[in-house]
Amino acid sequence: MQVSQAAPWLDILGCRVHRVDMPTTLEIINQFILERRPRHVITLNAEIIYTALQNPELQQVINQADLVTPDGAGVVWAARFLGCPLQERVTGIDLMVALSRMAAEEGWRVFLLGARPGVAGKAANNLETSFPGLQVVGTQHGYFAEYETDAILTAIREKQPDLLFVALGAPYQEFWIRRYLIDCKVPVAVGVGGSLDVLAGEVARAPEIFIRLNLEWLYRLFQEPKRWRRQLALPRFVFQVFRQKYRSS
Ligand code: UDP
């Protein structure tokens, strides 16, 4: 299945974002797993779209991905502002939890790659407790040297996962997946940013009220004040979306 045909998409600052909600995303990924051809899934937020504006190589990686979900309030706002409203956000953490539930039901094998040593193992235990029957067949921390990559790829291949979650931080994880997807021999690889830290209980997710008010970014700023520099991308993103709209009208 060619997702660009199966799911409608919209262009936000040169990046293709599929107009999918969570149920459609799960359906498409289920289909990918049945088809067993290597597929790259990105949950795309405003910060990365803005970064891609200055980095054509990143924009190319995003536009070559098989499925790009709208991650974050900024993307949902931009879609509405550009006249293509979306149903909802499909964030990395929500997608990872939903896919883990489905993996337990369907018998899919899962591999977790990324975060500091010990974190992926803790996240695996927590997921296996939440979703009895889930098979996390391998974990690997994300602070390895270039020369260790081959051994890691071999370990992933040997475990034969159906789903590989890559939590190396965006956009590095997107480049990593693009480069090594074929070598991993995995039907689906998803970049999930800081999700392993949350699932391991190392970092708290924003309280429900922040999530509902689309203010998760603000909560993250309180938690990690040094993110302010990265979050400067948000007002710049908004400015560029205004330009996109009024240029093309
Ligand atoms: N990380 C990693 N290897 C690296 C750099 C980062 O495994 O070389 C991990 C880091 O430990 C964290 C995640 O990648 O778990 C990035 O989290 P962050 O919240 O910065 O990512 P975002 O969700 O914004 O992409």
Side-chain angles (χ1 to χ4, degrees), residues 156-200:
I156 295 173
R157 279 196 300 272
E158 280 174 2
K159 302 285 184 185
Q160 302 187 348
D162 300 292
L163 264 173
L164 171 65
F165 290 111
V166 182
L168 298 172
Y172 175 57
Q173 67 201 12
E174 276 66 46
F175 286 112
W176 196 94
I177 294 174
R178 174 79 203 159
R179 180 157 177 206
Y180 296 114
L181 180 63
I182 306 281
D183 299 317
C184 290
K185 286 203 183 340
V186 59
V188 175
V190 192
V192 290
S195 300
L196 293 184
D197 295 322
V198 177
L199 291 168

mmCIF file of all heavy atoms in Angstrom, residues 156-200:
data_model
loop_
_atom_site.group_PDB
_atom_site.id
_atom_site.type_symbol
_atom_site.label_atom_id
_atom_site.label_comp_id
_atom_site.label_asym_id
_atom_site.label_seq_id
_atom_site.Cartn_x
_atom_site.Cartn_y
_atom_site.Cartn_z
ATOM 1 N N ILE A 156 19.340 -6.597 16.307
ATOM 2 C CA ILE A 156 17.933 -6.320 15.943
ATOM 3 C C ILE A 156 17.447 -7.386 14.961
ATOM 4 O O ILE A 156 16.373 -7.964 15.142
ATOM 5 C CB ILE A 156 17.774 -4.897 15.352
ATOM 6 C CG1 ILE A 156 18.100 -3.840 16.419
ATOM 7 C CG2 ILE A 156 16.365 -4.684 14.791
ATOM 8 C CD1 ILE A 156 18.149 -2.409 15.920
ATOM 9 N N ARG A 157 18.259 -7.668 13.953
ATOM 10 C CA ARG A 157 17.838 -8.675 12.944
ATOM 11 C C ARG A 157 17.596 -10.037 13.587
ATOM 12 O O ARG A 157 16.627 -10.721 13.278
ATOM 13 C CB ARG A 157 18.902 -8.819 11.852
ATOM 14 C CG ARG A 157 18.844 -7.752 10.786
ATOM 15 C CD ARG A 157 19.640 -8.165 9.575
ATOM 16 N NE ARG A 157 21.042 -8.391 9.886
ATOM 17 C CZ ARG A 157 21.985 -7.448 9.876
ATOM 18 N NH1 ARG A 157 21.666 -6.213 9.563
ATOM 19 N NH2 ARG A 157 23.239 -7.736 10.162
ATOM 20 N N GLU A 158 18.506 -10.405 14.510
ATOM 21 C CA GLU A 158 18.384 -11.728 15.140
ATOM 22 C C GLU A 158 17.096 -11.864 15.948
ATOM 23 O O GLU A 158 16.534 -12.938 16.042
ATOM 24 C CB GLU A 158 19.600 -11.993 16.035
ATOM 25 C CG GLU A 158 20.779 -12.443 15.209
ATOM 26 C CD GLU A 158 22.055 -12.588 16.045
ATOM 27 O OE1 GLU A 158 22.011 -12.374 17.282
ATOM 28 O OE2 GLU A 158 23.093 -12.896 15.428
ATOM 29 N N LYS A 159 16.641 -10.762 16.532
ATOM 30 C CA LYS A 159 15.428 -10.825 17.362
ATOM 31 C C LYS A 159 14.154 -10.800 16.523
ATOM 32 O O LYS A 159 13.068 -10.987 17.047
ATOM 33 C CB LYS A 159 15.391 -9.639 18.348
ATOM 34 C CG LYS A 159 16.571 -9.561 19.271
ATOM 35 C CD LYS A 159 16.502 -10.599 20.362
ATOM 36 C CE LYS A 159 17.659 -10.409 21.323
ATOM 37 N NZ LYS A 159 17.742 -11.428 22.336
ATOM 38 N N GLN A 160 14.293 -10.465 15.247
ATOM 39 C CA GLN A 160 13.156 -10.437 14.310
ATOM 40 C C GLN A 160 11.921 -9.695 14.839
ATOM 41 O O GLN A 160 10.819 -10.271 14.899
ATOM 42 C CB GLN A 160 12.764 -11.865 13.928
ATOM 43 C CG GLN A 160 13.904 -12.612 13.302
ATOM 44 C CD GLN A 160 13.492 -13.972 12.770
ATOM 45 O OE1 GLN A 160 12.413 -14.467 13.049
ATOM 46 N NE2 GLN A 160 14.349 -14.584 11.998
ATOM 47 N N PRO A 161 12.116 -8.443 15.217
ATOM 48 C CA PRO A 161 10.926 -7.707 15.690
ATOM 49 C C PRO A 161 9.993 -7.340 14.524
ATOM 50 O O PRO A 161 10.427 -7.262 13.373
ATOM 51 C CB PRO A 161 11.521 -6.438 16.301
ATOM 52 C CG PRO A 161 12.838 -6.264 15.636
ATOM 53 C CD PRO A 161 13.326 -7.624 15.227
ATOM 54 N N ASP A 162 8.721 -7.124 14.861
ATOM 55 C CA ASP A 162 7.760 -6.595 13.887
ATOM 56 C C ASP A 162 7.735 -5.073 13.960
ATOM 57 O O ASP A 162 7.424 -4.402 12.990
ATOM 58 C CB ASP A 162 6.353 -7.131 14.196
ATOM 59 C CG ASP A 162 6.313 -8.643 14.123
ATOM 60 O OD1 ASP A 162 6.458 -9.174 13.009
ATOM 61 O OD2 ASP A 162 6.175 -9.292 15.187
ATOM 62 N N LEU A 163 8.053 -4.577 15.156
ATOM 63 C CA LEU A 163 8.007 -3.136 15.395
ATOM 64 C C LEU A 163 9.292 -2.695 16.082
ATOM 65 O O LEU A 163 9.672 -3.274 17.107
ATOM 66 C CB LEU A 163 6.885 -2.843 16.386
ATOM 67 C CG LEU A 163 5.513 -2.421 15.897
ATOM 68 C CD1 LEU A 163 4.564 -2.360 17.097
ATOM 69 C CD2 LEU A 163 5.568 -1.068 15.211
ATOM 70 N N LEU A 164 9.924 -1.679 15.528
ATOM 71 C CA LEU A 164 11.117 -1.116 16.168
ATOM 72 C C LEU A 164 10.817 0.326 16.562
ATOM 73 O O LEU A 164 10.497 1.153 15.708
ATOM 74 C CB LEU A 164 12.292 -1.153 15.164
ATOM 75 C CG LEU A 164 13.575 -0.430 15.566
ATOM 76 C CD1 LEU A 164 14.227 -1.097 16.778
ATOM 77 C CD2 LEU A 164 14.571 -0.390 14.407
ATOM 78 N N PHE A 165 10.891 0.595 17.866
ATOM 79 C CA PHE A 165 10.713 1.971 18.333
ATOM 80 C C PHE A 165 12.098 2.590 18.511
ATOM 81 O O PHE A 165 12.933 2.040 19.233
ATOM 82 C CB PHE A 165 9.961 2.007 19.663
ATOM 83 C CG PHE A 165 8.512 1.608 19.544
ATOM 84 C CD1 PHE A 165 8.054 0.415 20.084
ATOM 85 C CD2 PHE A 165 7.604 2.427 18.884
ATOM 86 C CE1 PHE A 165 6.719 0.046 19.976
ATOM 87 C CE2 PHE A 165 6.266 2.073 18.769
ATOM 88 C CZ PHE A 165 5.819 0.879 19.308
ATOM 89 N N VAL A 166 12.329 3.725 17.863
ATOM 90 C CA VAL A 166 13.644 4.367 17.924
ATOM 91 C C VAL A 166 13.502 5.695 18.663
ATOM 92 O O VAL A 166 12.843 6.627 18.180
ATOM 93 C CB VAL A 166 14.207 4.592 16.501
ATOM 94 C CG1 VAL A 166 15.598 5.210 16.576
ATOM 95 C CG2 VAL A 166 14.251 3.273 15.729
ATOM 96 N N ALA A 167 14.120 5.751 19.842
ATOM 97 C CA ALA A 167 13.990 6.931 20.707
ATOM 98 C C ALA A 167 15.357 7.593 20.869
ATOM 99 O O ALA A 167 15.935 7.613 21.954
ATOM 100 C CB ALA A 167 13.414 6.514 22.068
ATOM 101 N N LEU A 168 15.879 8.134 19.770
ATOM 102 C CA LEU A 168 17.192 8.774 19.811
ATOM 103 C C LEU A 168 17.070 10.287 19.787
ATOM 104 O O LEU A 168 18.068 10.997 19.729
ATOM 105 C CB LEU A 168 18.033 8.311 18.607
ATOM 106 C CG LEU A 168 18.353 6.816 18.532
ATOM 107 C CD1 LEU A 168 19.005 6.469 17.203
ATOM 108 C CD2 LEU A 168 19.251 6.391 19.693
ATOM 109 N N GLY A 169 15.824 10.797 19.826
ATOM 110 C CA GLY A 169 15.593 12.249 19.732
ATOM 111 C C GLY A 169 15.476 12.657 18.272
ATOM 112 O O GLY A 169 16.142 12.103 17.399
ATOM 113 N N ALA A 170 14.574 13.606 18.034
ATOM 114 C CA ALA A 170 14.373 14.101 16.665
ATOM 115 C C ALA A 170 15.318 15.279 16.423
ATOM 116 O O ALA A 170 15.573 16.047 17.344
ATOM 117 C CB ALA A 170 12.917 14.557 16.503
ATOM 118 N N PRO A 171 15.886 15.468 15.241
ATOM 119 C CA PRO A 171 15.645 14.657 14.050
ATOM 120 C C PRO A 171 16.668 13.526 13.845
ATOM 121 O O PRO A 171 16.598 12.834 12.843
ATOM 122 C CB PRO A 171 15.789 15.686 12.928
ATOM 123 C CG PRO A 171 16.829 16.642 13.418
ATOM 124 C CD PRO A 171 16.678 16.685 14.915
ATOM 125 N N TYR A 172 17.570 13.342 14.813
ATOM 126 C CA TYR A 172 18.608 12.318 14.618
ATOM 127 C C TYR A 172 17.997 10.952 14.341
ATOM 128 O O TYR A 172 18.435 10.203 13.457
ATOM 129 C CB TYR A 172 19.531 12.287 15.858
ATOM 130 C CG TYR A 172 20.559 11.200 15.826
ATOM 131 C CD1 TYR A 172 21.452 11.113 14.761
ATOM 132 C CD2 TYR A 172 20.649 10.251 16.845
ATOM 133 C CE1 TYR A 172 22.394 10.098 14.714
ATOM 134 C CE2 TYR A 172 21.584 9.244 16.809
ATOM 135 C CZ TYR A 172 22.447 9.166 15.748
ATOM 136 O OH TYR A 172 23.374 8.156 15.697
ATOM 137 N N GLN A 173 16.917 10.621 15.117
ATOM 138 C CA GLN A 173 16.306 9.295 14.939
ATOM 139 C C GLN A 173 15.718 9.124 13.528
ATOM 140 O O GLN A 173 15.714 8.023 12.988
ATOM 141 C CB GLN A 173 15.229 9.055 16.001
ATOM 142 C CG GLN A 173 14.031 9.968 15.859
ATOM 143 C CD GLN A 173 13.212 10.120 17.119
ATOM 144 O OE1 GLN A 173 13.612 9.731 18.205
ATOM 145 N NE2 GLN A 173 12.049 10.715 16.993
ATOM 146 N N GLU A 174 15.249 10.226 12.942
ATOM 147 C CA GLU A 174 14.676 10.137 11.584
ATOM 148 C C GLU A 174 15.788 9.807 10.568
ATOM 149 O O GLU A 174 15.603 8.966 9.694
ATOM 150 C CB GLU A 174 13.989 11.458 11.202
ATOM 151 C CG GLU A 174 12.555 11.573 11.708
ATOM 152 C CD GLU A 174 12.412 11.629 13.221
ATOM 153 O OE1 GLU A 174 13.177 12.402 13.859
ATOM 154 O OE2 GLU A 174 11.576 10.904 13.788
ATOM 155 N N PHE A 175 16.951 10.440 10.737
ATOM 156 C CA PHE A 175 18.079 10.132 9.847
ATOM 157 C C PHE A 175 18.543 8.688 10.071
ATOM 158 O O PHE A 175 18.878 7.975 9.139
ATOM 159 C CB PHE A 175 19.248 11.091 10.100
ATOM 160 C CG PHE A 175 19.011 12.478 9.559
ATOM 161 C CD1 PHE A 175 18.855 13.558 10.401
ATOM 162 C CD2 PHE A 175 18.941 12.704 8.185
ATOM 163 C CE1 PHE A 175 18.639 14.840 9.900
ATOM 164 C CE2 PHE A 175 18.723 13.977 7.674
ATOM 165 C CZ PHE A 175 18.572 15.048 8.535
ATOM 166 N N TRP A 176 18.570 8.297 11.333
ATOM 167 C CA TRP A 176 19.049 6.940 11.678
ATOM 168 C C TRP A 176 18.144 5.899 11.023
ATOM 169 O O TRP A 176 18.628 4.940 10.389
ATOM 170 C CB TRP A 176 19.098 6.758 13.206
ATOM 171 C CG TRP A 176 19.912 5.572 13.627
ATOM 172 C CD1 TRP A 176 21.239 5.579 13.980
ATOM 173 C CD2 TRP A 176 19.464 4.200 13.728
ATOM 174 N NE1 TRP A 176 21.637 4.304 14.277
ATOM 175 C CE2 TRP A 176 20.578 3.434 14.141
ATOM 176 C CE3 TRP A 176 18.255 3.558 13.508
ATOM 177 C CZ2 TRP A 176 20.516 2.060 14.343
ATOM 178 C CZ3 TRP A 176 18.188 2.181 13.700
ATOM 179 C CH2 TRP A 176 19.306 1.442 14.109
ATOM 180 N N ILE A 177 16.840 6.067 11.168
ATOM 181 C CA ILE A 177 15.897 5.092 10.598
ATOM 182 C C ILE A 177 16.054 5.063 9.077
ATOM 183 O O ILE A 177 16.124 4.002 8.466
ATOM 184 C CB ILE A 177 14.436 5.413 10.995
ATOM 185 C CG1 ILE A 177 14.239 5.236 12.502
ATOM 186 C CG2 ILE A 177 13.456 4.527 10.222
ATOM 187 C CD1 ILE A 177 12.869 5.656 13.032
ATOM 188 N N ARG A 178 16.121 6.239 8.480
ATOM 189 C CA ARG A 178 16.242 6.302 7.013
ATOM 190 C C ARG A 178 17.484 5.520 6.553
ATOM 191 O O ARG A 178 17.460 4.775 5.597
ATOM 192 C CB ARG A 178 16.350 7.777 6.606
ATOM 193 C CG ARG A 178 16.617 8.021 5.154
ATOM 194 C CD ARG A 178 15.375 7.870 4.317
ATOM 195 N NE ARG A 178 15.717 7.572 2.943
ATOM 196 C CZ ARG A 178 14.910 7.007 2.078
ATOM 197 N NH1 ARG A 178 13.701 6.643 2.447
ATOM 198 N NH2 ARG A 178 15.291 6.801 0.856
ATOM 199 N N ARG A 179 18.567 5.684 7.299
ATOM 200 C CA ARG A 179 19.829 5.067 6.898
ATOM 201 C C ARG A 179 19.844 3.558 7.130
ATOM 202 O O ARG A 179 20.399 2.807 6.339
ATOM 203 C CB ARG A 179 20.958 5.748 7.678
ATOM 204 C CG ARG A 179 22.294 5.198 7.363
ATOM 205 C CD ARG A 179 23.398 6.180 7.658
ATOM 206 N NE ARG A 179 24.683 5.568 7.389
ATOM 207 C CZ ARG A 179 25.798 5.929 7.962
ATOM 208 N NH1 ARG A 179 25.788 6.913 8.833
ATOM 209 N NH2 ARG A 179 26.923 5.322 7.678
ATOM 210 N N TYR A 180 19.236 3.104 8.240
ATOM 211 C CA TYR A 180 19.411 1.694 8.627
ATOM 212 C C TYR A 180 18.151 0.834 8.537
ATOM 213 O O TYR A 180 18.199 -0.343 8.884
ATOM 214 C CB TYR A 180 19.979 1.621 10.052
ATOM 215 C CG TYR A 180 21.348 2.227 10.165
ATOM 216 C CD1 TYR A 180 21.562 3.379 10.923
ATOM 217 C CD2 TYR A 180 22.439 1.665 9.496
ATOM 218 C CE1 TYR A 180 22.820 3.951 11.019
ATOM 219 C CE2 TYR A 180 23.705 2.238 9.583
ATOM 220 C CZ TYR A 180 23.880 3.384 10.343
ATOM 221 O OH TYR A 180 25.123 3.944 10.434
ATOM 222 N N LEU A 181 17.062 1.410 8.068
ATOM 223 C CA LEU A 181 15.790 0.666 8.042
ATOM 224 C C LEU A 181 15.921 -0.686 7.329
ATOM 225 O O LEU A 181 15.489 -1.724 7.843
ATOM 226 C CB LEU A 181 14.711 1.529 7.362
ATOM 227 C CG LEU A 181 13.327 0.914 7.252
ATOM 228 C CD1 LEU A 181 12.735 0.650 8.630
ATOM 229 C CD2 LEU A 181 12.377 1.835 6.473
ATOM 230 N N ILE A 182 16.536 -0.669 6.160
ATOM 231 C CA ILE A 182 16.651 -1.907 5.374
ATOM 232 C C ILE A 182 17.498 -2.930 6.141
ATOM 233 O O ILE A 182 17.144 -4.107 6.226
ATOM 234 C CB ILE A 182 17.312 -1.614 4.001
ATOM 235 C CG1 ILE A 182 16.554 -0.514 3.272
ATOM 236 C CG2 ILE A 182 17.464 -2.888 3.165
ATOM 237 C CD1 ILE A 182 15.285 -0.935 2.592
ATOM 238 N N ASP A 183 18.604 -2.444 6.751
ATOM 239 C CA ASP A 183 19.500 -3.360 7.482
ATOM 240 C C ASP A 183 18.818 -3.967 8.704
ATOM 241 O O ASP A 183 19.207 -5.040 9.156
ATOM 242 C CB ASP A 183 20.764 -2.617 7.960
ATOM 243 C CG ASP A 183 21.548 -2.077 6.787
ATOM 244 O OD1 ASP A 183 21.693 -2.804 5.795
ATOM 245 O OD2 ASP A 183 21.983 -0.911 6.860
ATOM 246 N N CYS A 184 17.843 -3.262 9.258
ATOM 247 C CA CYS A 184 17.160 -3.780 10.460
ATOM 248 C C CYS A 184 16.220 -4.932 10.105
ATOM 249 O O CYS A 184 15.843 -5.709 10.980
ATOM 250 C CB CYS A 184 16.333 -2.684 11.135
ATOM 251 S SG CYS A 184 17.317 -1.425 11.913
ATOM 252 N N LYS A 185 15.824 -4.996 8.841
ATOM 253 C CA LYS A 185 14.872 -6.026 8.377
ATOM 254 C C LYS A 185 13.621 -6.060 9.257
ATOM 255 O O LYS A 185 13.197 -7.129 9.719
ATOM 256 C CB LYS A 185 15.529 -7.411 8.363
ATOM 257 C CG LYS A 185 16.516 -7.636 7.227
ATOM 258 C CD LYS A 185 16.655 -9.116 6.976
ATOM 259 C CE LYS A 185 17.638 -9.553 5.946
ATOM 260 N NZ LYS A 185 18.113 -8.682 4.962
ATOM 261 N N VAL A 186 13.068 -4.894 9.483
ATOM 262 C CA VAL A 186 11.891 -4.801 10.342
ATOM 263 C C VAL A 186 10.767 -4.154 9.512
ATOM 264 O O VAL A 186 11.037 -3.243 8.734
ATOM 265 C CB VAL A 186 12.247 -3.996 11.629
ATOM 266 C CG1 VAL A 186 12.729 -2.600 11.314
ATOM 267 C CG2 VAL A 186 11.101 -3.897 12.579
ATOM 268 N N PRO A 187 9.549 -4.665 9.612
ATOM 269 C CA PRO A 187 8.484 -4.088 8.784
ATOM 270 C C PRO A 187 8.165 -2.631 9.124
ATOM 271 O O PRO A 187 7.832 -1.865 8.236
ATOM 272 C CB PRO A 187 7.265 -4.966 9.058
ATOM 273 C CG PRO A 187 7.725 -6.124 9.838
ATOM 274 C CD PRO A 187 9.092 -5.850 10.365
ATOM 275 N N VAL A 188 8.260 -2.277 10.400
ATOM 276 C CA VAL A 188 7.907 -0.899 10.779
ATOM 277 C C VAL A 188 8.880 -0.351 11.825
ATOM 278 O O VAL A 188 9.085 -0.963 12.874
ATOM 279 C CB VAL A 188 6.467 -0.823 11.357
ATOM 280 C CG1 VAL A 188 6.160 0.584 11.849
ATOM 281 C CG2 VAL A 188 5.428 -1.233 10.309
ATOM 282 N N ALA A 189 9.463 0.817 11.516
ATOM 283 C CA ALA A 189 10.269 1.545 12.504
ATOM 284 C C ALA A 189 9.612 2.900 12.739
ATOM 285 O O ALA A 189 9.256 3.596 11.783
ATOM 286 C CB ALA A 189 11.693 1.724 11.999
ATOM 287 N N VAL A 190 9.448 3.248 14.014
ATOM 288 C CA VAL A 190 8.787 4.510 14.387
ATOM 289 C C VAL A 190 9.729 5.326 15.271
ATOM 290 O O VAL A 190 10.234 4.802 16.273
ATOM 291 C CB VAL A 190 7.493 4.246 15.216
ATOM 292 C CG1 VAL A 190 6.672 5.523 15.346
ATOM 293 C CG2 VAL A 190 6.664 3.118 14.653
ATOM 294 N N GLY A 191 9.928 6.579 14.936
ATOM 295 C CA GLY A 191 10.706 7.471 15.796
ATOM 296 C C GLY A 191 9.813 7.993 16.908
ATOM 297 O O GLY A 191 8.733 8.511 16.629
ATOM 298 N N VAL A 192 10.241 7.838 18.170
ATOM 299 C CA VAL A 192 9.355 8.204 19.281
ATOM 300 C C VAL A 192 9.990 9.174 20.282
ATOM 301 O O VAL A 192 9.472 9.342 21.393
ATOM 302 C CB VAL A 192 8.806 6.946 20.015
ATOM 303 C CG1 VAL A 192 7.812 6.204 19.136
ATOM 304 C CG2 VAL A 192 9.920 6.016 20.484
ATOM 305 N N GLY A 193 11.088 9.835 19.907
ATOM 306 C CA GLY A 193 11.672 10.894 20.738
ATOM 307 C C GLY A 193 11.915 10.499 22.184
ATOM 308 O O GLY A 193 12.543 9.475 22.466
ATOM 309 N N GLY A 194 11.384 11.293 23.118
ATOM 310 C CA GLY A 194 11.642 11.060 24.541
ATOM 311 C C GLY A 194 10.672 10.070 25.180
ATOM 312 O O GLY A 194 10.606 10.000 26.419
ATOM 313 N N SER A 195 9.938 9.289 24.394
ATOM 314 C CA SER A 195 8.875 8.430 24.958
ATOM 315 C C SER A 195 9.389 7.368 25.933
ATOM 316 O O SER A 195 8.694 7.029 26.895
ATOM 317 C CB SER A 195 8.114 7.720 23.837
ATOM 318 O OG SER A 195 7.535 8.663 22.996
ATOM 319 N N LEU A 196 10.588 6.835 25.703
ATOM 320 C CA LEU A 196 11.078 5.787 26.616
ATOM 321 C C LEU A 196 11.291 6.359 28.010
ATOM 322 O O LEU A 196 11.037 5.697 29.013
ATOM 323 C CB LEU A 196 12.369 5.154 26.089
ATOM 324 C CG LEU A 196 12.251 4.335 24.801
ATOM 325 C CD1 LEU A 196 13.601 3.696 24.451
ATOM 326 C CD2 LEU A 196 11.190 3.261 24.919
ATOM 327 N N ASP A 197 11.746 7.617 28.074
ATOM 328 C CA ASP A 197 11.943 8.264 29.380
ATOM 329 C C ASP A 197 10.616 8.351 30.135
ATOM 330 O O ASP A 197 10.550 8.134 31.342
ATOM 331 C CB ASP A 197 12.521 9.676 29.207
ATOM 332 C CG ASP A 197 13.913 9.655 28.609
ATOM 333 O OD1 ASP A 197 14.692 8.746 28.965
ATOM 334 O OD2 ASP A 197 14.221 10.526 27.788
ATOM 335 N N VAL A 198 9.549 8.669 29.408
ATOM 336 C CA VAL A 198 8.225 8.779 30.036
ATOM 337 C C VAL A 198 7.741 7.396 30.459
ATOM 338 O O VAL A 198 7.293 7.202 31.595
ATOM 339 C CB VAL A 198 7.213 9.440 29.062
ATOM 340 C CG1 VAL A 198 5.817 9.481 29.677
ATOM 341 C CG2 VAL A 198 7.664 10.851 28.685
ATOM 342 N N LEU A 199 7.864 6.408 29.559
ATOM 343 C CA LEU A 199 7.359 5.059 29.868
ATOM 344 C C LEU A 199 8.152 4.398 30.989
ATOM 345 O O LEU A 199 7.632 3.568 31.720
ATOM 346 C CB LEU A 199 7.395 4.183 28.607
ATOM 347 C CG LEU A 199 6.380 4.612 27.547
ATOM 348 C CD1 LEU A 199 6.646 3.912 26.228
ATOM 349 C CD2 LEU A 199 4.958 4.333 28.022
ATOM 350 N N ALA A 200 9.420 4.780 31.134
ATOM 351 C CA ALA A 200 10.237 4.223 32.214
ATOM 352 C C ALA A 200 9.956 4.937 33.534
ATOM 353 O O ALA A 200 10.464 4.536 34.583
ATOM 354 C CB ALA A 200 11.716 4.336 31.851
#
